[in-house]
Amino acid sequence: MQPLIPILLLASLWTTCAEAGDWCYQSQFTCDRQCNAPEKWSEVNDNCKGRFQSPINVVTRKTLKDERLTPLQFDNYQQIFRGAIKNNGHSVEVGVPHLSTVSGGRLPGTYKAVQFHLHWGNNGGPGSEHTIDGEQYPMELHIVHMKQQYTDLKTALSDSEGVAVLGFFYERSNSVNRRYDPIINALKSIRTTNENISLPPISLAQLIPTKQNLTSYYRYKGSLTTPGCTEAVIWTLFESPIPLSRDQLRAFSDLKFNDGKAMVGTFRPVQPLNGRQVYRSGGPVLLTSSTFIMAAMVTALALSQLN
């Protein structure tokens, strides 16, 4: 888990530094670089102090199973396209032609893909925005969609259910994920803000787990995770992680923020639930916790002794 900066330390930083300007991540904040760190994002946009903000920590034992959360329908996710990858000063972003859509799984309509971007830590360390039972993964992918009837994201965000974001976690693997070669290889060409380069032909399907590994997910209502923090997002967080090698994860830390600092720690801290319910799909729950494994072993041993 990423250590939390004590509130008193943050308060002292803001006392000794002058008034901040643009928003930034905590990793960027210094007295020399006066910017609004996440605790001060409401100074940039009032929405950021709303009650239904993202990301959140998903406490699995408090999630509610919803049988209506059936497997999502992915259409044209296999479609090959040539996109451009850009360093936008806060992350890397790839625009997507509005051909790929997602529906079903209790989404209130069909949503078309707009773009995808990523959030990461420092050299492969903890960096996901959402956490599961307090576990922070190395990186998180967000595929942003808007309702099919809208033509731009700004208009979609005026609808309380106008945007659907699919979130995917990454895990460190001992082997290289060749499906990500186009993304990883392009990073060296976009190290500074506003640099962009065309990608080789790719598809959204090659970047995410296979269809059979997309049945288990969490669902909740939240917001954008950067200013303006608009609360118009239906979040779907998939349990099955995407493997990347250590070097692949580390490659993202070679990028630079718009202030020239190393682009690391590009995540917003988790936000309060404020009474929201997190639902889980009817798919099989992935029991990755050592606690669950131990419990299963104890149960099996007890049963064997009864026979």
Side-chain angles (χ1 to χ4, degrees):
M1 286 289 293
Q2 189 79 8
L4 297 177
I5 297 178
I7 294 175
L8 288 177
L9 175 57
L10 285 174
S12 67
L13 284 172
W14 283 100
T15 300
T16 57
C17 296
E19 194 66 30
D22 192 17
W23 72 271
C24 65
Y25 288 108
Q26 190 61 52
S27 59
Q28 295 174 267
F29 181 83
T30 64
C31 284
D32 293 331
R33 168 66 170 113
Q34 297 167 18
C35 59
N36 285 299
E39 292 75 15
K40 290 285 185 177
W41 281 1
S42 60
E43 301 290 330
V44 177
N45 193 295
D46 196 56
N47 291 335
C48 297
K49 61 181 179 183
R51 288 184 51 79
F52 304 126
Q53 290 290 289
S54 299
I56 62 168
N57 174 46
V58 176
V59 181
T60 54
R61 64 181 176 82
K62 292 185 178 180
T63 59
L64 186 64
K65 187 174 182 178
D66 187 344
E67 296 291 351
R68 294 170 293 181
L69 296 181
T70 53
L72 275 68
Q73 177 67 43
F74 297 90
D75 289 316
N76 291 323
Y77 255 56
Q78 298 281 358
Q79 182 80 33
I80 300 294
F81 67 93
R82 293 188 67 95
I85 186 169
K86 179 180 180 179
N87 177 339
N88 63 18
H90 300 290
S91 179
V92 292
E93 181 179 316
V94 176
V96 178
H98 301 171
L99 300 172
S100 303
T101 65
V102 63
S103 59
R106 211 186 171 191
L107 288 174
T110 298
Y111 291 75
K112 54 190 177 184
V114 178
Q115 53 103 326
F116 68 84
H117 61 270
L118 301 107
H119 299 267
W120 59 89
N122 187 352
N123 286 317
S128 67
E129 294 213 294
H130 291 86
T131 58
I132 306 295
D133 292 328
E135 180 181 358
Q136 188 175 22
Y137 291 83
M139 194 160 69
E140 185 172 336
L141 167 68
H142 292 163
I143 306 181
V144 182
H145 302 69
M146 62 184 177
K147 273 185 180 175
Q148 200 163 40
Q149 64 263 37
Y150 297 120
T151 57
D152 63 272
L153 198 56
K154 182 179 179 181
T155 305
L157 286 167
S158 65
D159 178 342
S160 63
E161 295 181 330
V163 175
V165 179
L166 307 185
F168 300 86
F169 299 111
Y170 292 83
E171 65 179 358
R172 193 166 73 188
S173 169
N174 290 328
S175 57
V176 173
N177 184 343
R178 292 300 176 194
R179 290 171 173 258
Y180 268 76
D181 279 351
I183 304 291
I184 304 300
N185 292 339
L187 295 180
K188 62 178 69 74
S189 299
I190 58 165
R191 286 184 176 169
T192 59
T193 298
N194 292 327
E195 285 188 322
N196 67 86
I197 187 174
S198 295
L199 289 170
I202 62 168
S203 70
L204 291 177
Q206 79 183 63
L207 302 177
I208 64 175
T210 56
K211 187 175 180 180
Q212 59 266 32
N213 289 324
L214 296 175
T215 60
S216 297
Y217 59 86
Y218 301 101
R219 168 69 53 73
Y220 80 100
K221 289 293 295 296
S223 73
L224 299 179
T225 64
T226 57
C229 306
T230 313
E231 294 178 348
V233 181
I234 299 174
W235 279 96
T236 305
L237 304 173
F238 292 91
E239 284 191 326
S240 184
I242 301 165
L244 287 183
S245 71
R246 184 169 186 167
D247 286 342
Q248 286 180 306
L249 290 168
R250 283 178 164 177
F252 289 86
S253 295
D254 290 333
L255 302 176
K256 304 294 183 184
F257 282 121
N258 51 16
D259 58 8
K261 292 182 181 293
M263 189 178 282
V264 297
T266 62
F267 58 89
R268 186 188 192 186
V270 295
Q271 302 296 301
L273 266 180
N274 288 325
R276 284 174 288 176
Q277 178 64 57
V278 180
Y279 299 92
R280 70 178 187 274
S281 69
V285 178
L286 300 179
L287 302 180
T288 56
S289 168
S290 59
T291 302
F292 286 119
I293 295 172
M294 182 61 71
M297 292 175 63
V298 170
T299 302
L301 179 61
L303 289 173
S304 67
Q305 291 176 343
L306 290 175
N307 294 332

